[in-house]
């Protein structure tokens, strides 16, 4: 329980820190747009030469693209910054500051950094996924949606 | 009493040229020995990069197979050859990138570089050129492994091999010039990332990095003819994989030279204005 409280505290701190740099939001927005357009152009290019790719339709691959952008956003928002900081701290000897704190060190090194503007990617990934799903011909219902949501969790956590 | 003047001073231009060559050779040799020390790291980096072309290759091979062996007249064997050669050209294309200028300025490394009597550009070109020697050596076993896996159709003549040997260095220099010129933006803004992303996207689509250019719509091919990108990707790959005539090979290499000079000119102008803006302490 304490781990959750500490994570939440660091999250709030990180958000406050990031809110100082508001132009970064627009930079993230622009970068997300560029990445999205690139993905769509690649899909359009592939499907201008074929109807389906080994049984995968364009809408289905659009869903895959959406999930990829979504997960990429989550990784760049939370996982990667913390891993990078861990590597740098080991090298610079600053990891001691985390190790000497009276808290689970593994929790600490996993939650210290957050890049909230990367959430733009999570949103754009969800939009792409929704658009893709609306075009897919196969039927799916709440059970499939729930299974999908659950399956995203472990792929998003480095446990 | 006679003063002993160093010999170099008498020689003027010739002496300057010789010490420049010496600078390049020494820097490149340092890079070779440094990067061979990190050969495992270099190899893993290279292996990580292989994912990109292999995905492209698998996609286009799948499409080719579905359509009875070829897409737009390009066979599965051609795609295999294209993307295997791609891996070397891409590796040659890794240069001192524009985003690193931000690091160089922020960390004060530029202060040290400015104290030296020659442009930082010379060190970058020489150092990365030395690194490329290591990259080429490490690439060979990888290319052999990929050839066993994907069965490329590759039958270049001697002229093509020679042209390829020159063209990969042309590609290296073109990309160096344009990345360094783009890096000058870091003197004006700390948020160049979006612009660099945009540049990379244009490069991805217009260079032949994503697909061989004939697969692009005609109007895209038309645009890319007037941009430097394809001369650092598509052209060097095609010198080995395609069926260029000798005239086309020479003409292509000359166009590469032209783009190197254009890039250098842009860099020199941008550098002149950029360095006037620069001020820093520490480092």
């Amino acid at each position: 329980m304490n781990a959750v409280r500490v994570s939440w505290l660091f999250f709030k701190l990180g958000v406050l820190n990031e809110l100082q740099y508001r132009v970064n939001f627009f930079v993230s927005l622009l970068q997300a747009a560029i990445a999205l357009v690139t993905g769509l152009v690649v899909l359009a290019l592939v499907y201008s030469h074929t109807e389906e790719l080994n049984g995968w339709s364009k809408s289905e691959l659009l869903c895959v693209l959406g999930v990829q952008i979504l997960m990429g956003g989550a990784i760049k928002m939370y996982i990667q910054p913390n891993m990078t900081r861990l590597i740098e701290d080991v090298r610079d000897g600053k990891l001691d500051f985390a190790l000497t704190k009276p808290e689970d060190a593994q929790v600490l090194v996993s939650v210290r950094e957050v890049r909230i503007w990367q959430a733009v990617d999570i949103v754009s990934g969800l939009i792409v996924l929704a658009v893709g799903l609306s075009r897919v011909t196969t039927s799916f219902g709440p059970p499939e949606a729930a299974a999908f949501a659950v399956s995203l969790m472990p792929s998003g956590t480095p446990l | 009493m006679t003063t002993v003047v160093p010999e170099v001073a008498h020689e003027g231009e010739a002496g300057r040229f010789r010490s420049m060559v010496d600078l390049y050779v020494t820097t490149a040799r340092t890079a070779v020995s440094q990067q061979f020390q990190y050969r495992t790291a270099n190899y893993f980096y290279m292996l990580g990069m292989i994912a990109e072309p292999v995905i492209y290759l698998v996609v286009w091979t799948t499409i080719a197979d579905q359509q009875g062996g070829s897409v737009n007249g390009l066979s599965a064997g051609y795609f295999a050859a294209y993307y295997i050669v791609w891996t070397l050209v891409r590796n040659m294309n890794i240069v001192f990138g524009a985003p690193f200028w931000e690091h160089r300025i922020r960390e004060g490394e530029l202060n040290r570089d400015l104290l030296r009597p020659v442009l930082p550009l010379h060190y970058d070109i020489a150092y990365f050129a030395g690194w490329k020697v290591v990259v080429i050596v490490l690439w060979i076993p990888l290319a052999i492994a990929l050839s066993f896996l994907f069965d490329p159709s590759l039958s270049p003549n001697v002229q093509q091999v020679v042209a390829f040997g020159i063209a990969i260095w042309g590609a290296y220099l073109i990309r160096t010039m344009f990345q360094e010129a783009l890096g000058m933006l870091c003197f004006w803004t700390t948020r160049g990332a979006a612009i660099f992303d945009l540049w990379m996207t244009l490069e991805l689509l217009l260079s032949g990095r994503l697909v061989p250019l004939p697969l692009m719509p005609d109007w895209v091919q038309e645009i890319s003819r007037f941009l430097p990108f394809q001369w650092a990707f598509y052209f060097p790959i095609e010198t080995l994989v395609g069926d260029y005539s000798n005239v086309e090979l020479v003409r292509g290499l000359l166009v590469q030279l032209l783009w190197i000079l254009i890039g250098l000119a842009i860099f020199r102008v941008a550098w002149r204005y950029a360095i006037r803006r620069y001020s820093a302490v520490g480092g």
Side-chain angles (χ1 to χ4, degrees):
Chain A
M1 209 54 229
N2 207 28
V4 177
R5 208 173 50 83
V6 170
S7 308
W8 177 239
L9 200 65
F10 271 103
F11 184 78
K12 276 199 295 189
L13 205 66
V15 168
L16 284 176
N17 200 18
E18 282 267 280
L19 282 174
Q20 294 177 93
Y21 306 100
R22 260 159 283 188
V23 180
N24 284 355
F25 168 70
F26 295 100
V27 176
S28 290
L29 210 58
L30 201 59
Q31 283 177 300
I34 293 168
L36 179 60
V37 169
T38 312
L40 293 179
V41 167
V42 172
L43 270 189
L45 194 68
V46 168
Y47 282 93
S48 71
H49 291 281
T50 183
E51 285 300 311
E52 54 155 44
L53 194 60
N54 230 2
W56 287 71
S57 70
K58 191 176 179 182
S59 322
E60 285 165 342
L61 270 189
L62 198 60
C63 297
V64 176
L65 179 68
V67 174
Q68 196 233 350
I69 295 175
L70 173 81
M71 293 313 297
I75 290 168
K76 279 187 277 180
M77 180 180 171
Y78 215 51
I79 301 170
Q80 200 186 30
N82 280 302
M83 285 174 71
T84 312
R85 168 122 180 239
L86 174 64
I87 294 166
E88 281 171 12
D89 278 2
V90 169
R91 203 180 50 205
D92 297 340
K94 288 183 195 154
L95 191 64
D96 294 353
F97 300 133
L99 293 177
T100 48
K101 288 201 171 81
E103 184 57 56
D104 187 340
Q106 201 180 351
V107 170
L108 269 185
V109 298
S110 309
V111 301
R112 291 182 296 175
E113 296 275 330
V114 55
R115 303 258 180 280
I116 52 163
W117 301 130
Q118 290 294 339
V120 168
D121 279 341
I122 297 180
V123 175
S124 85
L126 280 173
I127 294 171
V128 173
L129 180 61
V131 172
L133 284 177
S134 71
R135 293 179 178 182
V136 167
T137 46
T138 49
S139 63
F140 56 90
E144 283 87 355
F148 172 71
V150 171
S151 72
L152 274 186
M153 294 297 168
S155 47
T157 42
L159 294 176
Chain B
M1 196 181 121
T2 53
T3 16
V4 182
V5 183
E7 208 183 340
V8 178
H10 285 303
E11 287 176 302
E13 275 301 306
R16 265 186 50 154
F17 179 73
R18 201 179 306 163
S19 49
M20 209 57 165
V21 171
D22 193 34
L23 171 84
Y24 268 78
V25 172
T26 312
T27 312
R29 282 176 58 182
T30 314
V32 170
S33 44
Q34 267 184 10
Q35 294 302 327
F36 261 122
Q37 282 183 318
Y38 297 103
R39 53 193 172 273
T40 315
N42 267 320
Y43 227 100
F44 274 96
Y45 190 60
M46 222 177 199
L47 281 174
M49 279 180 46
I50 296 297
E52 187 189 341
V54 167
I55 291 169
Y56 300 154
L57 175 55
V58 169
V59 167
W60 291 106
T61 310
T62 308
I63 298 174
D65 287 345
Q66 275 176 2
Q67 302 187 344
S70 70
V71 188
N72 267 21
L74 306 177
S75 67
Y78 169 86
F79 282 116
Y82 188 88
Y83 285 114
I84 290 172
V85 177
W86 183 107
T87 55
L88 179 63
V89 173
R90 171 70 189 123
N91 271 297
M92 291 300 292
N93 265 332
I94 296 174
V95 298
F96 188 87
F100 292 99
W101 271 97
E102 189 184 317
H103 177 86
R104 189 176 253 181
I105 294 168
R106 194 181 57 216
E107 302 291 324
E109 285 168 17
L110 187 60
N111 298 349
R112 179 203 63 197
D113 296 341
L114 286 176
L115 287 174
R116 291 170 166 170
V118 291
L119 270 180
L121 179 69
H122 290 297
Y123 288 97
D124 295 345
I125 295 176
Y127 188 87
F128 278 79
W131 191 346
K132 295 305 162 212
V133 176
V134 180
V135 164
I136 293 172
V137 172
L138 294 180
W139 174 79
I140 292 168
L142 212 59
I144 293 171
L146 285 174
S147 300
F148 276 117
L149 280 174
F150 291 104
D151 198 18
S153 56
L154 195 63
S155 51
N157 55 33
V158 181
Q159 300 92 301
Q160 281 181 299
V161 174
V162 173
F164 178 71
I166 303 169
I168 52 175
W169 290 100
Y172 166 67
L173 285 174
I174 291 175
R175 208 157 178 279
T176 299
M177 296 309 169
F178 280 91
Q179 283 292 314
E180 296 264 357
L182 200 60
M184 293 300 102
L185 281 175
C186 295
F187 284 88
W188 279 271
T189 175
T190 54
R191 301 182 205 278
I195 298 165
F196 301 146
D197 273 12
L198 189 63
W199 182 270
M200 288 290 278
T201 297
L202 287 176
E203 183 176 57
L204 178 74
L205 297 174
L206 299 176
S207 67
R209 173 173 173 176
L210 183 66
V211 290
L213 285 176
L215 287 184
M216 281 291 190
D218 288 339
W219 61 272
V220 176
Q221 291 184 48
E222 202 58 34
I223 295 171
S224 67
R225 275 179 51 194
F226 299 98
L227 294 169
F229 303 122
Q230 64 160 302
W231 300 101
F233 266 101
Y234 182 67
F235 171 71
I237 299 174
E238 276 290 299
T239 54
L240 202 62
V241 178
D243 47 6
Y244 283 142
S245 68
N246 292 350
V247 177
E248 283 170 319
L249 289 174
V250 173
R251 201 168 53 200
L253 291 174
L254 287 176
V255 176
Q256 276 196 322
L257 181 64
L258 183 69
W259 277 113
I260 295 169
L261 294 176
I262 292 173
L264 179 62
I266 296 172
F267 171 79
R268 290 303 298 244
V269 172
W271 172 255
R272 247 183 51 207
Y273 287 101
I275 208 63
R276 278 187 212 156
R277 284 185 51 90
Y278 181 69
S279 62
V281 288

